[in-house]
Amino acid sequence: MDYRVKYISIYEYEADVILNENTLKIVPYDGDNQLLVKYEVNTVPKGYMTSYRDIFNNIVFKVKITEPHRRLEISSESVVKVDNRVIKTDYEFPYNYGFNEFLLPTKLVDPEPFQQIAKELVKGLKTLGEVIEAVVKFVTSKISYKPGVTNINTTAIEAFKLGYGVCQDYTHVTLAMLRALGIPARYVMGVVNDNPRATHAWVEVLTPDGTFLDVDPTRKRLYNLGYIKFAIGRDFSDTSPIVGYFVSSGKGGLKELKIEVKKL
């Protein structure tokens, strides 16, 4: 399926901004089950822009704006092809993946506090698919969707103890549970394909044959979701769509976010 994806974020400021620097991950990922056909990234006002691919193969833009402004618009328009994967879940569990970066603890996702809970949960389960379904069911039973309770610095264990969170928190807790069981899993940031209002987060689980299974614990959906991923990483901090700073005598911040996904 081919999609046209538009992303626009608008920032407003109380006083002139004399320097605005941002790191952007706002075009679809080019790899795995996605083929990025074309893309364009712009800012108003214009600035000096460079791009590169990071260690996860995410397409990253850096932009530096020195023209004084009180309004900043950052936008991208892309065309991407998203293919369905061949879904196989009956891999034997447990399985020794060896060393994998998506098993390691991070600042936001530490598997250690989840070790005992995870082991108890999967007793008697024999396939990867059974484990994934059990973990997603468990996480969604323990966390209720509630914006404003957590923030971008909330860890998996903090969200789990609170019992509330948003897609980032569902994803972090799911990652912690899977990694506690020795299953490599990565954080995905992107957009859903049905009237997205903001970016979304979900999980991709590594299988023994090297492919990934996409899982959305927030929306309780499994496999071939059809979502458009922008970036992958170990946790949210690897995938934030826009990170930056500005120099001004006044305050400012995000005023509006628009995302449009259209099937072609």
Side-chain angles (χ1 to χ4, degrees), residues 3-37:
Y3 297 96
R4 176 174 284 110
V5 183
K6 294 181 181 180
Y7 179 103
I8 302 173
S9 57
I10 298 170
Y11 298 81
E12 293 185 352
Y13 309 93
E14 295 175 345
D16 284 353
V17 174
I18 59 172
L19 174 63
N20 210 325
E21 291 200 42
N22 291 278
T23 300
L24 319 174
K25 295 173 185 172
I26 58 171
V27 301
Y29 190 83
D30 188 24
D32 296 331
N33 66 317
Q34 292 189 177
L35 175 64
L36 185 57
V37 178

PDB file of all heavy atoms in Angstrom, residues 3-37:
ATOM      1  N   TYR A   3       1.301   5.359   0.483  1.00  0.00           N
ATOM      2  CA  TYR A   3       0.714   6.461   1.260  1.00  0.00           C
ATOM      3  C   TYR A   3       1.453   7.760   0.972  1.00  0.00           C
ATOM      4  O   TYR A   3       2.671   7.767   0.770  1.00  0.00           O
ATOM      5  CB  TYR A   3       0.809   6.194   2.765  1.00  0.00           C
ATOM      6  CG  TYR A   3       0.052   4.993   3.254  1.00  0.00           C
ATOM      7  CD1 TYR A   3       0.690   3.762   3.418  1.00  0.00           C
ATOM      8  CD2 TYR A   3      -1.298   5.085   3.591  1.00  0.00           C
ATOM      9  CE1 TYR A   3       0.012   2.656   3.899  1.00  0.00           C
ATOM     10  CE2 TYR A   3      -1.991   3.983   4.077  1.00  0.00           C
ATOM     11  CZ  TYR A   3      -1.332   2.771   4.221  1.00  0.00           C
ATOM     12  OH  TYR A   3      -2.011   1.674   4.697  1.00  0.00           O
ATOM     13  N   ARG A   4       0.687   8.861   0.986  1.00  0.00           N
ATOM     14  CA  ARG A   4       1.285  10.191   1.039  1.00  0.00           C
ATOM     15  C   ARG A   4       1.127  10.686   2.475  1.00  0.00           C
ATOM     16  O   ARG A   4       0.024  10.679   3.020  1.00  0.00           O
ATOM     17  CB  ARG A   4       0.610  11.165   0.070  1.00  0.00           C
ATOM     18  CG  ARG A   4       1.180  12.595   0.203  1.00  0.00           C
ATOM     19  CD  ARG A   4       0.633  13.546  -0.843  1.00  0.00           C
ATOM     20  NE  ARG A   4       1.272  13.295  -2.141  1.00  0.00           N
ATOM     21  CZ  ARG A   4       0.671  12.777  -3.180  1.00  0.00           C
ATOM     22  NH1 ARG A   4      -0.622  12.428  -3.100  1.00  0.00           N
ATOM     23  NH2 ARG A   4       1.314  12.583  -4.316  1.00  0.00           N
ATOM     24  N   VAL A   5       2.226  11.090   3.074  1.00  0.00           N
ATOM     25  CA  VAL A   5       2.222  11.490   4.481  1.00  0.00           C
ATOM     26  C   VAL A   5       2.684  12.938   4.593  1.00  0.00           C
ATOM     27  O   VAL A   5       3.767  13.299   4.101  1.00  0.00           O
ATOM     28  CB  VAL A   5       3.147  10.589   5.324  1.00  0.00           C
ATOM     29  CG1 VAL A   5       3.058  10.976   6.800  1.00  0.00           C
ATOM     30  CG2 VAL A   5       2.804   9.120   5.130  1.00  0.00           C
ATOM     31  N   LYS A   6       1.862  13.772   5.228  1.00  0.00           N
ATOM     32  CA  LYS A   6       2.236  15.165   5.487  1.00  0.00           C
ATOM     33  C   LYS A   6       2.335  15.388   6.993  1.00  0.00           C
ATOM     34  O   LYS A   6       1.465  14.939   7.751  1.00  0.00           O
ATOM     35  CB  LYS A   6       1.201  16.124   4.892  1.00  0.00           C
ATOM     36  CG  LYS A   6       1.123  16.095   3.379  1.00  0.00           C
ATOM     37  CD  LYS A   6       0.083  17.091   2.858  1.00  0.00           C
ATOM     38  CE  LYS A   6      -0.021  17.058   1.344  1.00  0.00           C
ATOM     39  NZ  LYS A   6      -1.030  18.023   0.835  1.00  0.00           N
ATOM     40  N   TYR A   7       3.388  16.074   7.392  1.00  0.00           N
ATOM     41  CA  TYR A   7       3.627  16.372   8.809  1.00  0.00           C
ATOM     42  C   TYR A   7       3.950  17.855   8.923  1.00  0.00           C
ATOM     43  O   TYR A   7       4.863  18.351   8.250  1.00  0.00           O
ATOM     44  CB  TYR A   7       4.796  15.519   9.326  1.00  0.00           C
ATOM     45  CG  TYR A   7       5.172  15.750  10.773  1.00  0.00           C
ATOM     46  CD1 TYR A   7       4.803  14.853  11.759  1.00  0.00           C
ATOM     47  CD2 TYR A   7       5.919  16.861  11.153  1.00  0.00           C
ATOM     48  CE1 TYR A   7       5.165  15.046  13.081  1.00  0.00           C
ATOM     49  CE2 TYR A   7       6.269  17.083  12.473  1.00  0.00           C
ATOM     50  CZ  TYR A   7       5.891  16.153  13.436  1.00  0.00           C
ATOM     51  OH  TYR A   7       6.239  16.359  14.749  1.00  0.00           O
ATOM     52  N   ILE A   8       3.196  18.570   9.750  1.00  0.00           N
ATOM     53  CA  ILE A   8       3.437  20.002   9.951  1.00  0.00           C
ATOM     54  C   ILE A   8       3.370  20.316  11.444  1.00  0.00           C
ATOM     55  O   ILE A   8       2.378  20.007  12.109  1.00  0.00           O
ATOM     56  CB  ILE A   8       2.395  20.878   9.217  1.00  0.00           C
ATOM     57  CG1 ILE A   8       2.393  20.582   7.722  1.00  0.00           C
ATOM     58  CG2 ILE A   8       2.677  22.361   9.466  1.00  0.00           C
ATOM     59  CD1 ILE A   8       1.278  21.291   6.966  1.00  0.00           C
ATOM     60  N   SER A   9       4.421  20.897  11.963  1.00  0.00           N
ATOM     61  CA  SER A   9       4.407  21.385  13.349  1.00  0.00           C
ATOM     62  C   SER A   9       4.696  22.883  13.335  1.00  0.00           C
ATOM     63  O   SER A   9       5.597  23.352  12.635  1.00  0.00           O
ATOM     64  CB  SER A   9       5.424  20.645  14.221  1.00  0.00           C
ATOM     65  OG  SER A   9       6.716  20.759  13.682  1.00  0.00           O
ATOM     66  N   ILE A  10       3.904  23.613  14.106  1.00  0.00           N
ATOM     67  CA  ILE A  10       4.001  25.075  14.145  1.00  0.00           C
ATOM     68  C   ILE A  10       4.331  25.516  15.571  1.00  0.00           C
ATOM     69  O   ILE A  10       3.651  25.121  16.528  1.00  0.00           O
ATOM     70  CB  ILE A  10       2.688  25.720  13.675  1.00  0.00           C
ATOM     71  CG1 ILE A  10       2.409  25.337  12.222  1.00  0.00           C
ATOM     72  CG2 ILE A  10       2.755  27.248  13.833  1.00  0.00           C
ATOM     73  CD1 ILE A  10       1.026  25.713  11.738  1.00  0.00           C
ATOM     74  N   TYR A  11       5.383  26.328  15.680  1.00  0.00           N
ATOM     75  CA  TYR A  11       5.825  26.848  16.979  1.00  0.00           C
ATOM     76  C   TYR A  11       5.661  28.364  16.983  1.00  0.00           C
ATOM     77  O   TYR A  11       5.935  29.026  15.973  1.00  0.00           O
ATOM     78  CB  TYR A  11       7.296  26.495  17.225  1.00  0.00           C
ATOM     79  CG  TYR A  11       7.559  25.006  17.287  1.00  0.00           C
ATOM     80  CD1 TYR A  11       7.681  24.263  16.117  1.00  0.00           C
ATOM     81  CD2 TYR A  11       7.663  24.351  18.499  1.00  0.00           C
ATOM     82  CE1 TYR A  11       7.909  22.900  16.157  1.00  0.00           C
ATOM     83  CE2 TYR A  11       7.895  22.982  18.553  1.00  0.00           C
ATOM     84  CZ  TYR A  11       8.013  22.267  17.388  1.00  0.00           C
ATOM     85  OH  TYR A  11       8.235  20.909  17.431  1.00  0.00           O
ATOM     86  N   GLU A  12       5.227  28.895  18.119  1.00  0.00           N
ATOM     87  CA  GLU A  12       5.090  30.348  18.255  1.00  0.00           C
ATOM     88  C   GLU A  12       5.821  30.826  19.493  1.00  0.00           C
ATOM     89  O   GLU A  12       5.922  30.086  20.496  1.00  0.00           O
ATOM     90  CB  GLU A  12       3.606  30.728  18.317  1.00  0.00           C
ATOM     91  CG  GLU A  12       2.871  30.465  17.003  1.00  0.00           C
ATOM     92  CD  GLU A  12       1.436  30.947  17.013  1.00  0.00           C
ATOM     93  OE1 GLU A  12       0.942  31.348  18.085  1.00  0.00           O
ATOM     94  OE2 GLU A  12       0.801  30.922  15.929  1.00  0.00           O
ATOM     95  N   TYR A  13       6.318  32.085  19.426  1.00  0.00           N
ATOM     96  CA  TYR A  13       7.182  32.622  20.475  1.00  0.00           C
ATOM     97  C   TYR A  13       6.738  34.033  20.874  1.00  0.00           C
ATOM     98  O   TYR A  13       6.205  34.775  20.051  1.00  0.00           O
ATOM     99  CB  TYR A  13       8.635  32.652  19.989  1.00  0.00           C
ATOM    100  CG  TYR A  13       9.098  31.327  19.431  1.00  0.00           C
ATOM    101  CD1 TYR A  13       9.006  31.058  18.058  1.00  0.00           C
ATOM    102  CD2 TYR A  13       9.623  30.337  20.258  1.00  0.00           C
ATOM    103  CE1 TYR A  13       9.407  29.840  17.538  1.00  0.00           C
ATOM    104  CE2 TYR A  13      10.031  29.113  19.742  1.00  0.00           C
ATOM    105  CZ  TYR A  13       9.924  28.869  18.384  1.00  0.00           C
ATOM    106  OH  TYR A  13      10.314  27.660  17.872  1.00  0.00           O
ATOM    107  N   GLU A  14       6.978  34.385  22.130  1.00  0.00           N
ATOM    108  CA  GLU A  14       6.563  35.689  22.659  1.00  0.00           C
ATOM    109  C   GLU A  14       7.443  36.827  22.148  1.00  0.00           C
ATOM    110  O   GLU A  14       7.000  37.960  22.024  1.00  0.00           O
ATOM    111  CB  GLU A  14       6.627  35.669  24.190  1.00  0.00           C
ATOM    112  CG  GLU A  14       5.653  34.719  24.848  1.00  0.00           C
ATOM    113  CD  GLU A  14       5.858  34.664  26.353  1.00  0.00           C
ATOM    114  OE1 GLU A  14       6.910  35.123  26.847  1.00  0.00           O
ATOM    115  OE2 GLU A  14       4.966  34.153  27.037  1.00  0.00           O
ATOM    116  N   ALA A  15       8.718  36.514  21.902  1.00  0.00           N
ATOM    117  CA  ALA A  15       9.671  37.532  21.444  1.00  0.00           C
ATOM    118  C   ALA A  15      10.500  36.948  20.305  1.00  0.00           C
ATOM    119  O   ALA A  15      10.430  35.750  20.017  1.00  0.00           O
ATOM    120  CB  ALA A  15      10.573  37.962  22.603  1.00  0.00           C
ATOM    121  N   ASP A  16      11.273  37.810  19.644  1.00  0.00           N
ATOM    122  CA  ASP A  16      12.081  37.340  18.520  1.00  0.00           C
ATOM    123  C   ASP A  16      13.021  36.212  18.933  1.00  0.00           C
ATOM    124  O   ASP A  16      13.698  36.294  19.983  1.00  0.00           O
ATOM    125  CB  ASP A  16      12.917  38.490  17.949  1.00  0.00           C
ATOM    126  CG  ASP A  16      12.083  39.444  17.106  1.00  0.00           C
ATOM    127  OD1 ASP A  16      10.898  39.138  16.870  1.00  0.00           O
ATOM    128  OD2 ASP A  16      12.612  40.492  16.706  1.00  0.00           O
ATOM    129  N   VAL A  17      13.063  35.188  18.126  1.00  0.00           N
ATOM    130  CA  VAL A  17      14.024  34.098  18.293  1.00  0.00           C
ATOM    131  C   VAL A  17      15.193  34.384  17.361  1.00  0.00           C
ATOM    132  O   VAL A  17      15.009  34.571  16.156  1.00  0.00           O
ATOM    133  CB  VAL A  17      13.384  32.731  17.943  1.00  0.00           C
ATOM    134  CG1 VAL A  17      14.425  31.623  17.970  1.00  0.00           C
ATOM    135  CG2 VAL A  17      12.238  32.424  18.891  1.00  0.00           C
ATOM    136  N   ILE A  18      16.398  34.425  17.914  1.00  0.00           N
ATOM    137  CA  ILE A  18      17.571  34.758  17.098  1.00  0.00           C
ATOM    138  C   ILE A  18      18.358  33.508  16.698  1.00  0.00           C
ATOM    139  O   ILE A  18      19.212  33.579  15.815  1.00  0.00           O
ATOM    140  CB  ILE A  18      18.490  35.761  17.826  1.00  0.00           C
ATOM    141  CG1 ILE A  18      18.961  35.187  19.170  1.00  0.00           C
ATOM    142  CG2 ILE A  18      17.784  37.095  18.021  1.00  0.00           C
ATOM    143  CD1 ILE A  18      20.026  36.047  19.851  1.00  0.00           C
ATOM    144  N   LEU A  19      18.075  32.391  17.340  1.00  0.00           N
ATOM    145  CA  LEU A  19      18.716  31.125  16.964  1.00  0.00           C
ATOM    146  C   LEU A  19      17.761  29.990  17.292  1.00  0.00           C
ATOM    147  O   LEU A  19      17.221  29.919  18.407  1.00  0.00           O
ATOM    148  CB  LEU A  19      20.029  30.928  17.719  1.00  0.00           C
ATOM    149  CG  LEU A  19      20.728  29.574  17.512  1.00  0.00           C
ATOM    150  CD1 LEU A  19      21.150  29.396  16.049  1.00  0.00           C
ATOM    151  CD2 LEU A  19      21.933  29.438  18.433  1.00  0.00           C
ATOM    152  N   ASN A  20      17.539  29.106  16.334  1.00  0.00           N
ATOM    153  CA  ASN A  20      16.642  27.969  16.536  1.00  0.00           C
ATOM    154  C   ASN A  20      17.302  26.750  15.879  1.00  0.00           C
ATOM    155  O   ASN A  20      17.493  26.717  14.661  1.00  0.00           O
ATOM    156  CB  ASN A  20      15.275  28.253  15.894  1.00  0.00           C
ATOM    157  CG  ASN A  20      14.145  27.552  16.624  1.00  0.00           C
ATOM    158  OD1 ASN A  20      14.315  26.448  17.129  1.00  0.00           O
ATOM    159  ND2 ASN A  20      12.988  28.197  16.665  1.00  0.00           N
ATOM    160  N   GLU A  21      17.667  25.765  16.686  1.00  0.00           N
ATOM    161  CA  GLU A  21      18.311  24.557  16.171  1.00  0.00           C
ATOM    162  C   GLU A  21      17.471  23.348  16.533  1.00  0.00           C
ATOM    163  O   GLU A  21      17.059  23.185  17.688  1.00  0.00           O
ATOM    164  CB  GLU A  21      19.722  24.411  16.733  1.00  0.00           C
ATOM    165  CG  GLU A  21      20.703  25.442  16.210  1.00  0.00           C
ATOM    166  CD  GLU A  21      22.149  25.005  16.394  1.00  0.00           C
ATOM    167  OE1 GLU A  21      22.456  23.826  16.148  1.00  0.00           O
ATOM    168  OE2 GLU A  21      22.972  25.848  16.786  1.00  0.00           O
ATOM    169  N   ASN A  22      17.223  22.479  15.551  1.00  0.00           N
ATOM    170  CA  ASN A  22      16.389  21.305  15.777  1.00  0.00           C
ATOM    171  C   ASN A  22      16.925  20.077  15.050  1.00  0.00           C
ATOM    172  O   ASN A  22      17.511  20.190  13.969  1.00  0.00           O
ATOM    173  CB  ASN A  22      14.960  21.567  15.300  1.00  0.00           C
ATOM    174  CG  ASN A  22      14.234  22.579  16.171  1.00  0.00           C
ATOM    175  OD1 ASN A  22      13.704  22.244  17.220  1.00  0.00           O
ATOM    176  ND2 ASN A  22      14.218  23.839  15.736  1.00  0.00           N
ATOM    177  N   THR A  23      16.693  18.929  15.667  1.00  0.00           N
ATOM    178  CA  THR A  23      16.979  17.636  15.049  1.00  0.00           C
ATOM    179  C   THR A  23      15.645  16.983  14.733  1.00  0.00           C
ATOM    180  O   THR A  23      14.783  16.860  15.612  1.00  0.00           O
ATOM    181  CB  THR A  23      17.797  16.740  15.995  1.00  0.00           C
ATOM    182  OG1 THR A  23      19.031  17.396  16.305  1.00  0.00           O
ATOM    183  CG2 THR A  23      18.085  15.397  15.353  1.00  0.00           C
ATOM    184  N   LEU A  24      15.458  16.567  13.478  1.00  0.00           N
ATOM    185  CA  LEU A  24      14.159  16.104  12.994  1.00  0.00           C
ATOM    186  C   LEU A  24      14.215  14.647  12.536  1.00  0.00           C
ATOM    187  O   LEU A  24      15.153  14.244  11.834  1.00  0.00           O
ATOM    188  CB  LEU A  24      13.699  16.968  11.807  1.00  0.00           C
ATOM    189  CG  LEU A  24      13.940  18.476  11.879  1.00  0.00           C
ATOM    190  CD1 LEU A  24      13.544  19.116  10.552  1.00  0.00           C
ATOM    191  CD2 LEU A  24      13.165  19.080  13.036  1.00  0.00           C
ATOM    192  N   LYS A  25      13.191  13.905  12.914  1.00  0.00           N
ATOM    193  CA  LYS A  25      12.970  12.552  12.378  1.00  0.00           C
ATOM    194  C   LYS A  25      11.500  12.505  11.955  1.00  0.00           C
ATOM    195  O   LYS A  25      10.661  11.934  12.640  1.00  0.00           O
ATOM    196  CB  LYS A  25      13.284  11.490  13.429  1.00  0.00           C
ATOM    197  CG  LYS A  25      14.760  11.467  13.827  1.00  0.00           C
ATOM    198  CD  LYS A  25      15.042  10.536  14.997  1.00  0.00           C
ATOM    199  CE  LYS A  25      16.504  10.654  15.405  1.00  0.00           C
ATOM    200  NZ  LYS A  25      16.809   9.923  16.657  1.00  0.00           N
ATOM    201  N   ILE A  26      11.215  13.143  10.830  1.00  0.00           N
ATOM    202  CA  ILE A  26       9.820  13.364  10.426  1.00  0.00           C
ATOM    203  C   ILE A  26       9.530  12.870   9.007  1.00  0.00           C
ATOM    204  O   ILE A  26       8.566  13.303   8.388  1.00  0.00           O
ATOM    205  CB  ILE A  26       9.426  14.851  10.579  1.00  0.00           C
ATOM    206  CG1 ILE A  26      10.331  15.753   9.747  1.00  0.00           C
ATOM    207  CG2 ILE A  26       9.452  15.273  12.043  1.00  0.00           C
ATOM    208  CD1 ILE A  26       9.850  17.207   9.686  1.00  0.00           C
ATOM    209  N   VAL A  27      10.383  11.987   8.496  1.00  0.00           N
ATOM    210  CA  VAL A  27      10.058  11.313   7.235  1.00  0.00           C
ATOM    211  C   VAL A  27      10.047   9.810   7.499  1.00  0.00           C
ATOM    212  O   VAL A  27      10.728   9.325   8.409  1.00  0.00           O
ATOM    213  CB  VAL A  27      11.049  11.662   6.110  1.00  0.00           C
ATOM    214  CG1 VAL A  27      11.059  13.151   5.845  1.00  0.00           C
ATOM    215  CG2 VAL A  27      12.447  11.155   6.410  1.00  0.00           C
ATOM    216  N   PRO A  28       9.282   9.051   6.732  1.00  0.00           N
ATOM    217  CA  PRO A  28       9.179   7.612   6.981  1.00  0.00           C
ATOM    218  C   PRO A  28      10.518   6.881   6.889  1.00  0.00           C
ATOM    219  O   PRO A  28      11.403   7.255   6.111  1.00  0.00           O
ATOM    220  CB  PRO A  28       8.216   7.140   5.889  1.00  0.00           C
ATOM    221  CG  PRO A  28       7.372   8.340   5.593  1.00  0.00           C
ATOM    222  CD  PRO A  28       8.320   9.498   5.708  1.00  0.00           C
ATOM    223  N   TYR A  29      10.619   5.839   7.672  1.00  0.00           N
ATOM    224  CA  TYR A  29      11.785   4.956   7.677  1.00  0.00           C
ATOM    225  C   TYR A  29      11.915   4.306   6.301  1.00  0.00           C
ATOM    226  O   TYR A  29      10.923   3.927   5.678  1.00  0.00           O
ATOM    227  CB  TYR A  29      11.580   3.891   8.748  1.00  0.00           C
ATOM    228  CG  TYR A  29      12.790   3.041   9.057  1.00  0.00           C
ATOM    229  CD1 TYR A  29      13.761   3.491   9.934  1.00  0.00           C
ATOM    230  CD2 TYR A  29      12.946   1.775   8.496  1.00  0.00           C
ATOM    231  CE1 TYR A  29      14.859   2.712  10.251  1.00  0.00           C
ATOM    232  CE2 TYR A  29      14.038   0.983   8.794  1.00  0.00           C
ATOM    233  CZ  TYR A  29      14.998   1.457   9.673  1.00  0.00           C
ATOM    234  OH  TYR A  29      16.089   0.676   9.982  1.00  0.00           O
ATOM    235  N   ASP A  30      13.144   4.150   5.837  1.00  0.00           N
ATOM    236  CA  ASP A  30      13.393   3.538   4.534  1.00  0.00           C
ATOM    237  C   ASP A  30      14.116   2.209   4.749  1.00  0.00           C
ATOM    238  O   ASP A  30      15.335   2.155   4.867  1.00  0.00           O
ATOM    239  CB  ASP A  30      14.233   4.480   3.670  1.00  0.00           C
ATOM    240  CG  ASP A  30      14.369   3.993   2.237  1.00  0.00           C
ATOM    241  OD1 ASP A  30      13.503   3.224   1.786  1.00  0.00           O
ATOM    242  OD2 ASP A  30      15.355   4.388   1.577  1.00  0.00           O
ATOM    243  N   GLY A  31      13.336   1.132   4.838  1.00  0.00           N
ATOM    244  CA  GLY A  31      13.913  -0.176   5.097  1.00  0.00           C
ATOM    245  C   GLY A  31      12.875  -1.111   5.690  1.00  0.00           C
ATOM    246  O   GLY A  31      11.729  -0.738   5.902  1.00  0.00           O
ATOM    247  N   ASP A  32      13.281  -2.357   5.939  1.00  0.00           N
ATOM    248  CA  ASP A  32      12.368  -3.393   6.439  1.00  0.00           C
ATOM    249  C   ASP A  32      11.197  -3.533   5.458  1.00  0.00           C
ATOM    250  O   ASP A  32      11.402  -3.767   4.289  1.00  0.00           O
ATOM    251  CB  ASP A  32      11.881  -3.079   7.850  1.00  0.00           C
ATOM    252  CG  ASP A  32      13.011  -3.079   8.870  1.00  0.00           C
ATOM    253  OD1 ASP A  32      13.983  -3.805   8.655  1.00  0.00           O
ATOM    254  OD2 ASP A  32      12.915  -2.350   9.861  1.00  0.00           O
ATOM    255  N   ASN A  33       9.993  -3.334   5.948  1.00  0.00           N
ATOM    256  CA  ASN A  33       8.807  -3.484   5.085  1.00  0.00           C
ATOM    257  C   ASN A  33       8.356  -2.167   4.459  1.00  0.00           C
ATOM    258  O   ASN A  33       7.259  -2.073   3.940  1.00  0.00           O
ATOM    259  CB  ASN A  33       7.646  -4.084   5.894  1.00  0.00           C
ATOM    260  CG  ASN A  33       7.161  -3.130   6.977  1.00  0.00           C
ATOM    261  OD1 ASN A  33       7.967  -2.513   7.669  1.00  0.00           O
ATOM    262  ND2 ASN A  33       5.858  -3.000   7.129  1.00  0.00           N
ATOM    263  N   GLN A  34       9.215  -1.147   4.508  1.00  0.00           N
ATOM    264  CA  GLN A  34       8.870   0.157   3.941  1.00  0.00           C
ATOM    265  C   GLN A  34       9.876   0.569   2.871  1.00  0.00           C
ATOM    266  O   GLN A  34      11.080   0.367   3.023  1.00  0.00           O
ATOM    267  CB  GLN A  34       8.839   1.245   5.033  1.00  0.00           C
ATOM    268  CG  GLN A  34       7.717   1.085   6.022  1.00  0.00           C
ATOM    269  CD  GLN A  34       7.555   2.271   6.964  1.00  0.00           C
ATOM    270  OE1 GLN A  34       6.638   2.284   7.775  1.00  0.00           O
ATOM    271  NE2 GLN A  34       8.414   3.271   6.885  1.00  0.00           N
ATOM    272  N   LEU A  35       9.372   1.180   1.812  1.00  0.00           N
ATOM    273  CA  LEU A  35      10.215   1.759   0.780  1.00  0.00           C
ATOM    274  C   LEU A  35       9.839   3.229   0.637  1.00  0.00           C
ATOM    275  O   LEU A  35       8.704   3.558   0.296  1.00  0.00           O
ATOM    276  CB  LEU A  35       9.996   1.040  -0.560  1.00  0.00           C
ATOM    277  CG  LEU A  35      10.737   1.641  -1.767  1.00  0.00           C
ATOM    278  CD1 LEU A  35      12.249   1.534  -1.591  1.00  0.00           C
ATOM    279  CD2 LEU A  35      10.304   0.961  -3.061  1.00  0.00           C
ATOM    280  N   LEU A  36      10.781   4.093   0.960  1.00  0.00           N
ATOM    281  CA  LEU A  36      10.545   5.530   0.866  1.00  0.00           C
ATOM    282  C   LEU A  36      10.735   5.961  -0.586  1.00  0.00           C
ATOM    283  O   LEU A  36      11.851   5.926  -1.117  1.00  0.00           O
ATOM    284  CB  LEU A  36      11.501   6.276   1.796  1.00  0.00           C
ATOM    285  CG  LEU A  36      11.311   7.779   1.921  1.00  0.00           C
ATOM    286  CD1 LEU A  36       9.906   8.137   2.381  1.00  0.00           C
ATOM    287  CD2 LEU A  36      12.353   8.357   2.887  1.00  0.00           C
ATOM    288  N   VAL A  37       9.651   6.358  -1.225  1.00  0.00           N
ATOM    289  CA  VAL A  37       9.678   6.700  -2.654  1.00  0.00           C
ATOM    290  C   VAL A  37      10.240   8.103  -2.868  1.00  0.00           C
ATOM    291  O   VAL A  37      11.095   8.332  -3.730  1.00  0.00           O
ATOM    292  CB  VAL A  37       8.269   6.572  -3.260  1.00  0.00           C
ATOM    293  CG1 VAL A  37       8.274   6.969  -4.735  1.00  0.00           C
ATOM    294  CG2 VAL A  37       7.733   5.154  -3.081  1.00  0.00           C
TER     295      VAL A  37
END
